C-alpha cells in the first residue's frame, strides 16, 4: 500500500516488500540526514550568492533564477550551464564549501546499514567531494561501495531517465533487486519505471526544494517514510529473521 501525503506515513514493512533486494541506492542530501538539518540551507544560500555574483543581479533576482532553473532543468547548475554558459567546477566547489559539522551521527542508521546484506551506493546530483565529506561527517562512509555524482552523469541531473541507466551500468545493478531512497518524488519516477523499489523519504516540513501538495502523483512511490533509520532497522531485522543461504 502506498501512503499519501495527506495520510499516515509508512511505519511498517514486510518481508514480501524487501526480501528480493540485494542493492540499496541512496540519494544524499535530505535523505541520509534529516531535512531539518541546517546543512542544505547552507548550500541553498551559497547557490544564491554565487548566482548573484555570476549574473551580476540582486540576491532576490538570483534566488528567482535559482528556483526557476531548478524547476525547468532539474538543477540550478544545469540551467546556468545551458542558458548562461557556466563552467560547473567553480560552482560546485563554491556551493559545497560549507560547514558539514552540523550533521550528527545516527547510530541506528549506522547499525541498520551495517546489517543490511548487499551493496550500498550513492546517487546524487551533488559532487563526489561533497558526498564524501557528508558521509565522513555522518560516520557512514565505510558502508558505501560507490558514488555516482553529477559529474559522472555528465552534469545531466536526476530525473533524466538516461542517467538512471548509466547508474545501472556503472554498478551492474539489477533494477528489480534494487531499492532507491530519495527525498524527491520526481526523482523516483524513472527508478519505478525501471522496476526499482522506490522509497520516498520525508524527514521534515522543508524536506524538498519542491514542496508536495495533495494533488501530486505519488503512485510510483511504493513506500513513503519519515524515519529512514528506523525503517531500515526494521528491514535489517527482517533479513536477520530470514537469513539467505
Amino acid at each position: 500500500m502506498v501512503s499519501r501525503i495527506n495520510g499516515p506515513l509508512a511505519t511498517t514493512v514486510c518481508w514480501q516488500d524487501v526480501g528480493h533486494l540485494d542493492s540499496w541506492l541512496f540519494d544524499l542530501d535530505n535523505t541520509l540526514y534529516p531535512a531539518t538539518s541546517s546543512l542544505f540551507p547552507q548550500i541553498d544560500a551559497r547557490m544564491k550568492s554565487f548566482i548573484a555574483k555570476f549574473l551580476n543581479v540582486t540576491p532576490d533576482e538570483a534566488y528567482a533564477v535559482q528556483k526557476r532553473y531548478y524547476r525547468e532543468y532539474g538543477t540550478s547548475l544545469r540551467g546556468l550551464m545551458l542558458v548562461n554558459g557556466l563552467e560547473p567546477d567553480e560552482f560546485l566547489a563554491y556551493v559545497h564549501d560549507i560547514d558539514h559539522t552540523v550533521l550528527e551521527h545516527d547510530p541506528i542508521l549506522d547499525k541498520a546499514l551495517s546489517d543490511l546484506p548487499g551493496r550500498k551506493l550513492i546517487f546524487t546530483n551533488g559532487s563526489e567531494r561533497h558526498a564524501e565529506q557528508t558521509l565522513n561527517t555522518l560516520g557512514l562512509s565505510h558502508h558505501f561501495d560507490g558514488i555516482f555524482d553529477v559529474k559522472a552523469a555528465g552534469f545531466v541531473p536526476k530525473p533524466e531517465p538516461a542517467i538512471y541507466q548509466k547508474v545501472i551500468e556503472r554498478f551492474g545493478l539489477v533494477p528489480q533487486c534494487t531499492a532507491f531512497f530519495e527525498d524527491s518524488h520526481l526523482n523516483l519516477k524513472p527508478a519505478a519505471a525501471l522496476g526499482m523499489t522506490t522509497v520516498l523519504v520525508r524527514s521534515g516540513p522543508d524536506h524538498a526544494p519542491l514542496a508536495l501538495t495533495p494533488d501530486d502523483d505519488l503512485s510510483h512511490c511504493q513506500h513513503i517514510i519519515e524515519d529512514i533509520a528506523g525503517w531500515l532497522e526494521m528491514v535489517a531485522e527482517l533479513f536477520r529473521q530470514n537469513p539467505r543461504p
Side-chain angles (χ1 to χ4, degrees):
M1 178 181 294
V2 176
S3 300
R4 296 298 175 192
I5 182 175
N6 56 354
L9 297 173
T11 56
T12 61
V13 62
C14 65
W15 180 243
Q16 288 76 13
D17 292 329
V18 298
H20 59 291
L21 299 173
D22 62 18
S23 298
W24 312 87
L25 188 63
F26 294 88
D27 175 48
L28 180 72
D29 292 309
N30 293 342
T31 299
L32 281 176
Y33 61 83
T36 51
S37 164
S38 60
L39 187 71
F40 198 80
Q42 294 181 63
I43 298 174
D44 202 52
R46 288 187 71 79
M47 279 196 281
K48 180 170 72 173
S49 174
F50 183 97
I51 293 169
K53 183 176 180 181
F54 179 70
L55 297 180
N56 192 26
V57 297
T58 68
D60 286 345
E61 291 170 328
Y63 184 78
V65 169
Q66 176 186 342
K67 297 307 177 185
R68 176 163 57 85
Y69 282 0
Y70 178 88
R71 290 191 302 270
E72 294 178 2
Y73 299 100
T75 61
S76 303
L77 170 59
R78 184 65 174 166
L80 289 166
M81 291 174 65
L82 293 176
V83 178
N84 305 105
L86 172 71
E87 292 295 329
D89 289 339
E90 182 181 0
F91 175 89
L92 290 170
Y94 183 87
V95 302
H96 291 145
D97 184 14
I98 55 176
D99 178 15
H100 287 80
T101 63
V102 299
L103 297 173
E104 296 182 1
H105 175 70
D106 186 336
I108 296 176
L109 179 58
D110 192 355
K111 187 175 188 308
L113 289 171
S114 180
D115 291 343
L116 281 177
R119 292 182 301 162
K120 295 90 181 180
L121 305 157
I122 298 294
F123 179 19
T124 176
N125 277 343
S127 69
E128 183 175 11
R129 179 172 176 270
H130 168 61
E132 290 172 343
Q133 289 178 310
T134 300
L135 293 173
N136 286 336
T137 305
L138 290 169
L140 301 176
S141 58
H142 59 290
H143 295 300
F144 290 92
D145 300 309
I147 298 170
F148 190 96
D149 73 340
V150 70
K151 188 171 184 178
F155 300 102
V156 178
K158 296 176 280 187
E160 173 59 44
I163 303 309
Y164 293 68
Q165 192 61 46
K166 284 189 175 184
V167 174
I168 289 169
E169 293 171 1
R170 166 73 68 86
F171 298 124
L173 296 173
V174 176
Q176 291 75 14
C177 298
T178 302
F180 184 33
F181 297 77
E182 256 280 1
D183 68 306
S184 166
H185 69 296
L186 299 175
N187 291 346
L188 286 172
K189 198 162 190 177
L194 289 166
M196 293 185 187
T197 296
T198 52
V199 186
L200 178 62
V201 181
R202 295 175 51 79
S203 57
D206 300 317
H207 63 280
L210 292 180
L212 293 175
T213 73
D215 296 326
D216 281 312
D217 177 16
L218 303 182
S219 60
H220 58 282
C221 303
Q222 292 168 279
H223 306 278
I224 303 177
I225 65 174
E226 183 175 35
D227 177 11
I228 189 173
W231 197 82
L232 285 176
E233 184 182 38
M234 290 188 291
V235 173
E237 177 60 28
L238 288 173
F239 277 96
R240 281 192 292 270
Q241 294 172 3
N242 298 272
R244 288 173 172 167

